[in-house]
Amino acid sequence: MKYVMFICTPVGGEELSPAAIAEDPRFASYLHDVRTRDVVRGGARLRPAADATTVRVQGAEVLLGDGPFAETKEYIAGFDVIEVADLDEAIALAARHPAALAGGSVEVRPVWE
């Protein structure tokens, strides 16, 4: 079954660049494990929430807003698409993600297929 893991980072927390993630031993270990198990089907590191543009439509008018769609204590910093046997395996993988272990969270959501 496919799941998307939304990697959430606390607002104001440390913003790691892709290069910093590649050099971080926590991420290196995690990435080695998921690649060895061949469960990742895609994903991406996202730019900070401050770089987001929110689009809303009211009637014929397109309204643009700077920043994320809602004010929250966390923002989505990236996502992984994984394919595992079941929700229990997806949760176990999310619980080992370095972002979850460093004060953030990982939302696990099944994909419609």
Side-chain angles (χ1 to χ4, degrees):
M1 187 161 189
K2 286 185 184 171
Y3 295 88
V4 173
M5 296 192 328
F6 293 103
I7 315 307
C8 301
T9 299
V11 170
E14 183 180 10
E15 182 67 38
L16 296 177
S17 69
I21 288 172
E23 295 174 2
D24 186 318
R26 299 168 302 166
F27 278 96
S29 174
Y30 178 82
L31 293 172
H32 174 75
D33 180 49
V34 296
R35 288 179 180 145
T36 301
R37 294 176 51 199
D38 193 32
V39 297
V40 177
R41 299 293 175 255
R45 178 83 169 99
L46 301 176
R47 301 279 308 180
D51 292 349
T53 300
T54 299
V55 179
R56 290 185 171 81
V57 178
Q58 292 182 351
E61 188 176 6
V62 176
L63 305 172
L64 301 179
D66 292 333
F69 65 92
E71 293 292 324
T72 64
K73 294 181 181 179
E74 294 181 324
Y75 66 93
I76 298 172
F79 66 95
D80 292 331
V81 178
I82 60 171
E83 189 166 355
V84 294
D86 55 27
L87 180 58
D88 289 338
E89 188 175 355
I91 290 170
L93 195 60
R96 293 186 37 246
H97 194 284
L101 298 172
S105 64
V106 177
E107 178 182 331
V108 176
R109 193 179 306 177
V111 174
W112 286 108
E113 294 192 81

Coordinates of all heavy atoms in Angstrom, one line a residue, residues 49-105:
A49 N 8.2 27.5 4.5 CA 6.9 27.9 4.4 C 6.8 29.4 4.0 O 5.8 29.8 3.4 CB 6.1 27.7 5.7
A50 N 7.8 30.2 4.4 CA 7.8 31.6 4.0 C 7.8 31.8 2.5 O 7.4 32.9 2.0 CB 8.9 32.3 4.7
D51 N 8.3 30.8 1.8 CA 8.3 30.9 0.3 C 7.1 30.5 -0.4 O 7.0 30.5 -1.6 CB 9.5 30.1 -0.2 CG 10.9 30.6 0.2 OD1 10.9 31.8 0.7 OD2 11.9 29.9 0.0
A52 N 6.1 30.0 0.4 CA 4.8 29.5 -0.2 C 3.9 30.6 -0.7 O 4.0 31.8 -0.2 CB 4.1 28.7 0.9
T53 N 3.1 30.3 -1.6 CA 2.0 31.2 -2.1 C 0.7 30.4 -2.0 O 0.7 29.3 -2.5 CB 2.3 31.7 -3.5 OG1 3.5 32.4 -3.6 CG2 1.1 32.6 -4.0
T54 N -0.3 30.9 -1.3 CA -1.6 30.3 -1.2 C -2.5 30.9 -2.2 O -2.6 32.1 -2.3 CB -2.1 30.4 0.2 OG1 -1.2 29.8 1.1 CG2 -3.4 29.7 0.4
V55 N -3.2 30.0 -3.0 CA -4.2 30.5 -4.0 C -5.6 30.1 -3.5 O -5.8 29.0 -3.2 CB -3.9 29.8 -5.3 CG1 -4.9 30.2 -6.4 CG2 -2.4 30.1 -5.8
R56 N -6.5 31.1 -3.5 CA -7.9 30.9 -3.2 C -8.7 31.5 -4.3 O -8.3 32.5 -4.9 CB -8.3 31.5 -1.9 CG -7.7 30.8 -0.7 CD -8.2 31.5 0.6 NE -7.8 30.7 1.8 CZ -6.7 30.7 2.4 NH1 -5.7 31.5 1.9 NH2 -6.4 30.0 3.5
V57 N -9.9 31.0 -4.6 CA -10.7 31.5 -5.6 C -12.1 31.9 -4.9 O -12.7 31.0 -4.3 CB -11.0 30.5 -6.8 CG1 -11.9 31.1 -7.8 CG2 -9.6 30.2 -7.4
Q58 N -12.5 33.1 -5.1 CA -13.8 33.6 -4.7 C -14.5 34.1 -5.9 O -14.2 35.2 -6.4 CB -13.7 34.6 -3.6 CG -13.1 34.1 -2.3 CD -13.1 35.1 -1.2 OE1 -13.3 36.3 -1.4 NE2 -12.8 34.7 0.0
G59 N -15.5 33.3 -6.3 CA -16.2 33.7 -7.6 C -15.2 33.7 -8.7 O -14.6 32.7 -9.0
A60 N -15.1 34.8 -9.4 CA -14.2 34.9 -10.6 C -12.8 35.4 -10.1 O -11.9 35.6 -11.0 CB -14.8 35.7 -11.7
E61 N -12.7 35.8 -8.9 CA -11.4 36.4 -8.4 C -10.5 35.4 -7.8 O -10.8 34.6 -7.0 CB -11.8 37.5 -7.4 CG -10.6 38.3 -6.9 CD -11.0 39.4 -5.9 OE1 -12.1 39.5 -5.5 OE2 -10.1 40.2 -5.6
V62 N -9.2 35.5 -8.3 CA -8.1 34.7 -7.8 C -7.4 35.5 -6.7 O -6.9 36.6 -7.0 CB -7.2 34.2 -8.9 CG1 -6.0 33.4 -8.3 CG2 -7.9 33.4 -9.9
L63 N -7.4 35.0 -5.5 CA -6.7 35.7 -4.4 C -5.4 35.0 -4.0 O -5.4 33.8 -3.9 CB -7.6 35.7 -3.2 CG -9.0 36.3 -3.4 CD1 -9.9 36.1 -2.2 CD2 -8.9 37.8 -3.8
L64 N -4.3 35.7 -3.9 CA -3.0 35.2 -3.6 C -2.6 35.6 -2.2 O -2.8 36.8 -1.9 CB -2.0 35.6 -4.6 CG -2.2 35.2 -6.1 CD1 -1.1 35.8 -6.9 CD2 -2.4 33.7 -6.2
G65 N -2.0 34.7 -1.5 CA -1.5 35.1 -0.1 C -0.1 34.6 0.0 O 0.3 33.6 -0.6
D66 N 0.7 35.4 0.7 CA 2.1 35.0 1.0 C 2.1 34.0 2.2 O 1.4 34.2 3.1 CB 2.9 36.2 1.3 CG 3.1 37.1 0.1 OD1 3.1 36.6 -1.0 OD2 3.3 38.3 0.3
G67 N 2.9 33.0 2.0 CA 3.0 32.0 3.1 C 2.1 30.8 3.0 O 1.4 30.7 2.0
P68 N 2.1 30.0 4.0 CA 1.3 28.8 4.0 C -0.2 29.0 4.1 O -0.6 30.1 4.4 CB 1.9 28.0 5.2 CG 2.4 29.0 6.1 CD 2.9 30.2 5.3
F69 N -1.0 28.0 3.9 CA -2.4 28.1 3.9 C -3.0 28.4 5.3 O -4.1 28.9 5.4 CB -3.1 26.9 3.3 CG -2.9 25.6 4.1 CD1 -3.8 25.2 5.1 CD2 -1.8 24.8 3.9 CE1 -3.6 24.1 5.8 CE2 -1.6 23.7 4.7 CZ -2.5 23.3 5.6
A70 N -2.3 28.1 6.3 CA -2.8 28.4 7.7 C -1.6 28.7 8.6 O -0.5 28.3 8.4 CB -3.5 27.1 8.2
E71 N -1.9 29.5 9.6 CA -0.9 29.7 10.6 C -0.8 28.5 11.6 O -1.9 28.1 12.1 CB -1.3 31.0 11.4 CG -1.2 32.2 10.6 CD 0.2 32.6 10.2 OE1 1.1 32.4 11.0 OE2 0.4 33.1 9.1
T72 N 0.3 27.9 11.7 CA 0.5 26.7 12.5 C 1.8 26.8 13.3 O 2.6 27.7 13.0 CB 0.4 25.4 11.7 OG1 1.6 25.5 10.8 CG2 -0.8 25.3 10.8
K73 N 2.0 25.9 14.2 CA 3.2 25.8 14.9 C 4.3 24.9 14.1 O 5.4 24.9 14.5 CB 3.0 25.2 16.3 CG 2.2 26.1 17.1 CD 2.0 25.5 18.5 CE 1.1 26.4 19.3 NZ 0.8 26.0 20.7
E74 N 3.8 24.2 13.1 CA 4.7 23.4 12.2 C 4.3 23.7 10.8 O 3.2 24.2 10.5 CB 4.5 21.9 12.5 CG 4.9 21.5 13.9 CD 4.7 20.0 14.1 OE1 3.7 19.4 13.5 OE2 5.5 19.4 14.7
Y75 N 5.2 23.4 9.9 CA 4.9 23.5 8.5 C 5.5 22.3 7.8 O 6.4 21.6 8.3 CB 5.5 24.8 7.9 CG 7.0 24.9 7.9 CD1 7.7 24.5 6.8 CD2 7.7 25.4 8.9 CE1 9.1 24.5 6.7 CE2 9.1 25.5 8.9 CZ 9.8 25.0 7.8 OH 11.1 25.1 7.8
I76 N 5.0 22.0 6.6 CA 5.4 20.8 5.9 C 6.7 21.2 5.2 O 6.8 22.1 4.4 CB 4.4 20.3 4.8 CG1 3.1 19.9 5.6 CG2 4.9 19.2 4.0 CD1 1.9 19.7 4.7
A77 N 7.8 20.5 5.5 CA 9.1 20.8 5.0 C 9.5 19.8 3.9 O 10.5 20.1 3.1 CB 10.2 20.6 6.1
G78 N 8.8 18.7 3.7 CA 9.0 17.8 2.6 C 8.1 16.7 2.7 O 7.2 16.6 3.6
F79 N 8.2 15.7 1.8 CA 7.3 14.6 1.8 C 8.0 13.4 1.1 O 8.9 13.6 0.3 CB 6.0 14.9 1.0 CG 6.2 15.1 -0.4 CD1 6.0 14.1 -1.4 CD2 6.5 16.4 -0.9 CE1 6.2 14.3 -2.7 CE2 6.7 16.6 -2.3 CZ 6.5 15.6 -3.2
D80 N 7.6 12.2 1.5 CA 8.1 11.0 1.0 C 6.9 10.2 0.6 O 5.9 10.1 1.3 CB 8.9 10.1 2.0 CG 10.2 10.8 2.3 OD1 10.8 11.5 1.5 OD2 10.7 10.5 3.5
V81 N 7.0 9.6 -0.6 CA 5.9 8.6 -1.0 C 6.6 7.2 -0.8 O 7.6 6.9 -1.3 CB 5.5 8.8 -2.5 CG1 4.5 7.7 -2.9 CG2 5.0 10.2 -2.7
I82 N 5.9 6.4 0.0 CA 6.5 5.1 0.4 C 5.5 4.0 0.0 O 4.3 4.3 -0.1 CB 6.8 5.0 1.9 CG1 5.6 5.2 2.7 CG2 7.9 6.0 2.2 CD1 5.8 4.9 4.2
E83 N 6.0 2.8 -0.2 CA 5.1 1.7 -0.5 C 5.5 0.6 0.5 O 6.7 0.1 0.4 CB 5.2 1.2 -1.9 CG 4.2 0.2 -2.3 CD 4.1 -0.1 -3.8 OE1 4.7 0.7 -4.6 OE2 3.4 -1.0 -4.2
V84 N 4.7 0.3 1.4 CA 4.9 -0.7 2.4 C 3.7 -1.6 2.6 O 2.7 -1.4 1.9 CB 5.2 0.0 3.8 CG1 6.6 0.7 3.7 CG2 4.1 0.9 4.2
A85 N 3.8 -2.7 3.4 CA 2.7 -3.6 3.5 C 1.5 -3.1 4.1 O 0.4 -3.4 3.7 CB 3.2 -4.8 4.4
D86 N 1.6 -2.2 5.2 CA 0.4 -1.8 5.8 C 0.7 -0.5 6.7 O 1.8 0.0 6.7 CB -0.2 -2.9 6.7 CG 0.8 -3.4 7.7 OD1 1.8 -2.7 8.1 OD2 0.7 -4.6 8.1
L87 N -0.3 0.0 7.3 CA -0.2 1.2 8.1 C 0.8 1.0 9.3 O 1.6 2.0 9.6 CB -1.5 1.7 8.7 CG -1.5 2.9 9.5 CD1 -1.0 4.1 8.8 CD2 -3.0 3.2 10.1
D88 N 0.8 -0.1 9.9 CA 1.8 -0.4 11.0 C 3.2 -0.2 10.5 O 4.1 0.4 11.2 CB 1.6 -1.8 11.5 CG 0.3 -1.9 12.3 OD1 -0.2 -0.9 12.8 OD2 -0.1 -3.1 12.5
E89 N 3.6 -0.7 9.3 CA 4.9 -0.5 8.8 C 5.2 0.9 8.5 O 6.3 1.4 8.7 CB 5.1 -1.4 7.6 CG 6.5 -1.4 7.1 CD 6.8 -2.4 5.9 OE1 5.9 -3.1 5.5 OE2 7.9 -2.4 5.4
A90 N 4.2 1.7 7.9 CA 4.4 3.1 7.6 C 4.6 3.9 8.9 O 5.5 4.8 8.9 CB 3.2 3.6 6.9
I91 N 3.9 3.6 9.9 CA 4.1 4.3 11.2 C 5.4 4.0 11.8 O 6.1 4.9 12.3 CB 2.9 3.9 12.2 CG1 1.6 4.5 11.7 CG2 3.2 4.3 13.6 CD1 0.4 4.0 12.5
A92 N 5.9 2.7 11.7 CA 7.2 2.4 12.3 C 8.3 3.1 11.5 O 9.2 3.6 12.1 CB 7.4 0.9 12.1
L93 N 8.1 3.3 10.2 CA 9.1 4.0 9.4 C 9.1 5.5 9.8 O 10.1 6.1 10.0 CB 8.8 3.9 8.0 CG 9.9 4.3 7.0 CD1 11.1 3.5 7.2 CD2 9.3 4.1 5.6
A94 N 7.9 6.1 9.9 CA 7.7 7.5 10.3 C 8.3 7.8 11.7 O 8.9 8.8 11.9 CB 6.3 7.9 10.3
A95 N 8.2 6.8 12.6 CA 8.7 7.0 14.0 C 10.2 7.0 14.0 O 10.8 7.5 15.0 CB 8.1 5.9 14.9
R96 N 10.8 6.5 13.0 CA 12.3 6.5 12.9 C 12.9 7.7 12.1 O 14.1 7.9 12.1 CB 12.8 5.2 12.3 CG 12.5 4.0 13.2 CD 13.1 2.7 12.7 NE 14.4 2.9 12.1 CZ 14.6 2.6 10.8 NH1 13.7 2.3 10.0 NH2 15.8 2.8 10.3
H97 N 12.0 8.5 11.5 CA 12.4 9.6 10.7 C 13.1 10.7 11.6 O 12.6 11.0 12.6 CB 11.2 10.3 10.0 CG 11.7 11.2 8.9 ND1 12.2 12.4 9.1 CD2 11.7 11.0 7.5 CE1 12.5 13.0 8.0 NE2 12.3 12.1 7.0
P98 N 14.3 11.2 11.2 CA 15.0 12.2 12.0 C 14.2 13.4 12.3 O 14.4 14.0 13.4 CB 16.2 12.5 11.1 CG 16.5 11.3 10.3 CD 15.1 10.7 10.0
A99 N 13.3 13.8 11.5 CA 12.5 15.0 11.8 C 11.6 14.7 13.0 O 11.4 15.6 13.8 CB 11.7 15.4 10.6
A100 N 11.0 13.6 13.0 CA 10.1 13.2 14.2 C 10.9 13.1 15.4 O 10.4 13.4 16.5 CB 9.4 11.9 13.9
L101 N 12.1 12.6 15.3 CA 13.0 12.4 16.5 C 13.6 13.8 17.0 O 14.1 13.8 18.1 CB 14.1 11.5 16.2 CG 13.7 10.0 15.8 CD1 14.9 9.2 15.4 CD2 13.0 9.4 17.0
A102 N 13.5 14.8 16.2 CA 14.1 16.1 16.5 C 13.1 17.2 16.9 O 13.3 18.3 16.8 CB 15.0 16.6 15.4
G103 N 11.9 16.7 17.3 CA 10.9 17.7 17.7 C 9.8 18.1 16.7 O 8.9 18.8 17.0
G104 N 9.9 17.6 15.5 CA 8.9 17.8 14.5 C 7.9 16.6 14.5 O 7.8 16.0 15.5
S105 N 7.2 16.4 13.4 CA 6.3 15.3 13.3 C 6.3 14.8 11.9 O 6.7 15.5 10.9 CB 4.9 15.8 13.7 OG 4.4 16.7 12.8

